[in-house]
Amino acid sequence: MNKIYIKTWGCQMNETDSFMIRKILETNTKYKHTNEYKKANILILNTCSVREKAQEKLFHQLGRWKKLKMLNSNIIIAVGGCVANQEGEKIYKRAPYVDIIFGTQTIHLLPNMIEERIKKNKIIVNIKFKGLKKFNYFSNKKHINPKSYVTIMEGCNKKCSFCVVPTTRGKEINRSFKEIILEIKQIVKKKIHEITLLGQNVSSYFYLDKKNKKKYNFTNLLYKISKIKEIKRIRFITSHPKDFNNEVINAYKNIPKLVDFLHLPIQSGSNKILKLMKRGYNIERYKKIIYKLLKIRPNMQFSSDFIIGFPGETKKDFNDTIKIITEINFDSSFSFIYSKRPNTIANKLIDNISLKEKKKRLYEVQKIIFNQTIQWNRRMIGTIQKILVEEKNKNKTGTLIGKTESNRTVHFKGFNDLIGKIILVKITKMKKKYFKGKIVS
């Protein structure tokens, strides 16, 4: 069959890694990608370990694939991503039908691992931290719309008490400044006009060029990218409030290509809880960042992350979180009940909040933010938005689909030659999952 199937869980970094896995295998082996797992003879699971029970979710999926392997012993099952880095050979001990276990920084070695597995018929495990060598093997060939993700760094040095990322992704490693710019200059030739910079903590990006002894930080990168004329929009995820300094804030004053939307994780509205989380900032510091940005960009919108029911969170601490949510008026969020993660400091804290109470608090947070999102949506009616035209609407002839700076989907009538361009569209109607608009001449 010579087909590969990839199932991905987790963040945009994992999605990008999976795309990279696909291209590395298609470029360096005889295998081609398929969206139908029953047609594949190589099944790859790219995992995430941020939430609790990630291991159980993994083994449930492997159990389903085991049935396929019982029918065809030549099927190869490979497990990668953060759970692979976290559990290593423990995965094989519980699921001995797994053939390959690879890490977040060894995906470029997959062609060799597959070949070795076929020849030697033995379990292959390689979860070592290899730096950013995988980018040397990656051909960023195909794009289906005028947007692209570019990884600028991996790993994290922050060691927040709840977070497993430093264990599963390793310490911060920053890609070469020149390499990043070169990649962007290459992909804009494929009519890419929006770039999203990726990393566990992009605002801490730092690279020392040993040849010319020049130092490059995150803002240097933003300014350099902004000078590439083909790039019309710049986004980035994720940044850390501790590293979100005045240089980054002032970039919003000087770089119009930075969108009026920012995802800046706060995690909690309580200073006590932030200290237990070892986040390295307080609420006052976070609010200063927001209000400085709003002074520069009054129309800017924000999203954030919230961990609900962290050990020691009292009703007052929770109310402080509600207070910051309504004060900042977040446009959207990722909110979760606290999950105990292995090898983290918080794992040793006494968790004295019942699951019932955690669920109640999570529901309250999500309800408030959902209502805020609806209000932000309603405010858009009648406004003129900058839209990056992404594709034609396959379900309605003569209609195009594009995105606002705040990632809202808009449908409007137009010709296909507008795809890839940024145009002005007046928002006329709000539907359940998208807006309708009309091009402003």
Side-chain angles (χ1 to χ4, degrees):
M1 293 185 290
N2 296 333
K3 298 285 185 181
I4 53 171
Y5 172 81
I6 305 170
K7 189 173 185 65
T8 310
W9 293 329
C11 64
Q12 189 55 55
M13 183 76 81
N14 271 27
E15 294 286 348
T16 303
D17 279 351
S18 289
F19 180 73
M20 196 180 292
I21 289 167
R22 174 181 170 178
K23 291 304 171 187
I24 287 171
L25 288 174
E26 287 184 332
T27 303
N28 299 286
T29 72
K30 58 188 176 182
Y31 297 98
K32 297 297 178 186
H33 180 262
T34 178
N35 290 319
E36 299 179 58
Y37 70 94
K38 288 184 179 180
K39 290 185 178 180
N41 54 336
I42 295 186
L43 300 170
I44 299 173
L45 185 54
N46 191 13
T47 63
C48 172
S49 65
V50 171
R51 305 257 65 81
E52 195 175 12
K53 298 181 181 177
Q55 296 96 312
E56 294 310 309
K57 187 179 178 182
L58 162 67
F59 290 112
H60 285 315
Q61 181 60 54
L62 290 178
R64 289 188 284 270
W65 285 357
K66 178 185 178 182
K67 295 175 183 177
L68 293 176
K69 190 155 184 172
M70 288 172 70
L71 297 172
N72 180 3
S73 60
N74 291 322
I75 286 176
I76 291 175
I77 297 177
V79 178
C82 292
V83 176
N85 275 40
Q86 177 184 299
E87 298 298 310
E89 290 188 11
K90 291 178 184 177
I91 294 170
Y92 177 72
K93 288 178 181 178
R94 185 166 166 184
Y97 47 88
V98 169
D99 302 281
I100 297 170
I101 300 169
F102 63 97
T104 54
Q105 293 180 18
T106 57
I107 64 178
H108 59 289
L109 300 175
L110 263 175
N112 294 335
M113 292 186 207
I114 292 169
E115 186 178 350
E116 188 178 354
R117 175 68 183 93
I118 293 170
K119 286 181 178 179
K120 298 183 180 180
N121 193 29
K122 68 173 187 177
I123 176 72
I124 308 295
V125 181
N126 191 337
I127 56 172
K128 295 178 181 178
F129 290 115
K130 298 280 186 179
L132 298 176
K133 292 180 181 179
K134 63 186 181 184
F135 291 98
N136 300 333
Y137 298 81
F138 174 48
S139 174
N140 202 352
K141 280 185 176 181
K142 187 180 178 183
H143 295 275
I144 57 173
N145 58 33
K147 302 189 298 186
S148 184
Y149 293 91
V150 176
T151 301
I152 66 170
M153 55 87 71
E154 275 200 25
C156 186
N157 294 341
K158 286 292 179 288
K159 294 186 180 178
C160 299
S161 67
F162 58 83
C163 188
V164 75
V165 167
T167 303
T168 59
R169 284 274 178 179
K171 293 181 179 179
E172 286 180 8
I173 307 175
N174 300 287
R175 289 182 71 191
S176 156
F177 184 87
K178 288 181 180 179
E179 185 182 321
I180 296 166
I181 300 302
L182 179 62
E183 180 179 338
I184 294 173
K185 286 182 176 179
Q186 287 175 340
I187 61 179
V188 295
K189 294 175 184 176
K190 300 161 189 172
K191 298 182 180 178
I192 298 297
H193 301 295
E194 178 178 302
I195 292 292
T196 300
L197 304 177
L198 282 182
Q200 270 71 41
N201 180 16
V202 293
S203 43
S204 71
Y205 174 84
F206 178 82
Y207 184 77
L208 173 63
D209 191 325
K210 293 179 181 179
K211 286 185 179 179
N212 58 25
K213 295 184 180 180
K214 279 191 176 182
K215 297 176 182 179
Y216 300 97
N217 61 21
F218 184 55
T219 50
N220 297 144
L221 195 57
L222 292 176
Y223 282 107
K224 186 70 174 179
I225 295 169
S226 72
K227 291 175 183 177
I228 301 173
K229 65 178 182 178
E230 292 89 351
I231 297 298
K232 308 300 180 187
R233 279 185 182 174
I234 303 171
R235 301 181 188 271
F236 53 85
I237 51 176
T238 298
S239 49
H240 194 292
K242 187 177 180 181
D243 298 317
F244 211 98
N245 56 32
N246 286 330
E247 276 190 40
V248 182
I249 293 169
N250 288 329
Y252 281 87
K253 187 188 298 182
N254 303 317
I255 304 176
K257 292 181 180 182
L258 279 168
V259 298
D260 278 350
F261 189 86
L262 174 66
H263 181 73
L264 189 64
I266 187 172
Q267 306 299 358
S268 173
S270 162
N271 280 333
K272 183 192 90 178
I273 298 299
L274 289 178
K275 191 172 182 179
L276 285 171
M277 289 179 170
K278 297 191 178 296
R279 290 290 285 171
Y281 58 86
N282 56 26
I283 295 303
E284 292 70 30
R285 158 77 177 149
Y286 186 90
K287 285 163 64 173
K288 277 184 181 179
I289 295 170
I290 298 297
Y291 291 125
K292 282 180 181 180
L293 287 167
L294 285 172
K295 191 173 182 180
I296 295 168
R297 305 268 189 102
N299 296 320
M300 198 154 178
Q301 292 167 247
F302 303 93
S303 66
S304 194
D305 293 345
F306 295 93
I307 295 175
I308 306 303
F310 190 83
E313 182 187 82
T314 63
K315 189 66 178 174
K316 180 185 179 303
D317 296 321
F318 176 69
N319 287 336
D320 286 342
T321 296
I322 297 297
K323 183 179 177 182
I324 197 74
I325 288 171
T326 53
E327 181 179 342
I328 303 298
N329 193 14
F330 288 105
D331 174 55
S332 57
S333 80
F334 296 99
S335 50
F336 307 94
I337 289 173
Y338 166 71
S339 297
K340 278 193 170 187
R341 306 311 298 127
N343 304 314
T344 60
I345 298 169
N347 201 19
K348 298 176 182 178
L349 297 176
I350 298 172
D351 188 358
N352 56 352
I353 309 165
S354 70
L355 181 60
K356 183 179 178 181
E357 178 63 23
K358 288 177 183 178
K359 286 182 177 180
K360 181 183 173 183
R361 292 178 187 181
L362 179 67
Y363 174 77
E364 188 175 344
V365 164
Q366 292 180 339
K367 184 179 178 181
I368 290 170
I369 294 177
F370 175 78
N371 288 333
Q372 289 180 183
T373 303
I374 296 298
Q375 291 303 316
W376 278 110
N377 288 345
R378 286 174 179 164
R379 290 177 195 176
M380 289 180 64
I381 307 298
T383 64
I384 295 173
Q385 299 284 328
K386 293 177 183 177
I387 304 292
L388 175 63
V389 186
E390 294 188 356
E391 59 184 339
K392 60 183 179 181
N393 189 344
K394 296 173 185 176
N395 299 318
K396 196 168 184 180
T397 306
T399 305
L400 301 174
I401 298 175
K403 287 281 179 70
T404 67
E405 292 196 2
S406 60
N407 266 324
R408 264 65 172 187
T409 301
V410 183
H411 293 197
F412 51 92
K413 290 182 179 179
F415 297 105
N416 292 346
D417 60 354
L418 290 175
I419 294 173
K421 295 180 181 179
I422 290 182
I423 61 172
L424 296 177
V425 173
K426 185 175 182 179
I427 307 300
T428 58
K429 194 173 183 180
M430 182 174 71
K431 304 289 281 185
K432 191 173 182 180
K433 294 184 178 180
Y434 64 90
F435 291 88
K436 283 189 173 183
K438 186 177 181 181
I439 295 175
V440 177
S441 60

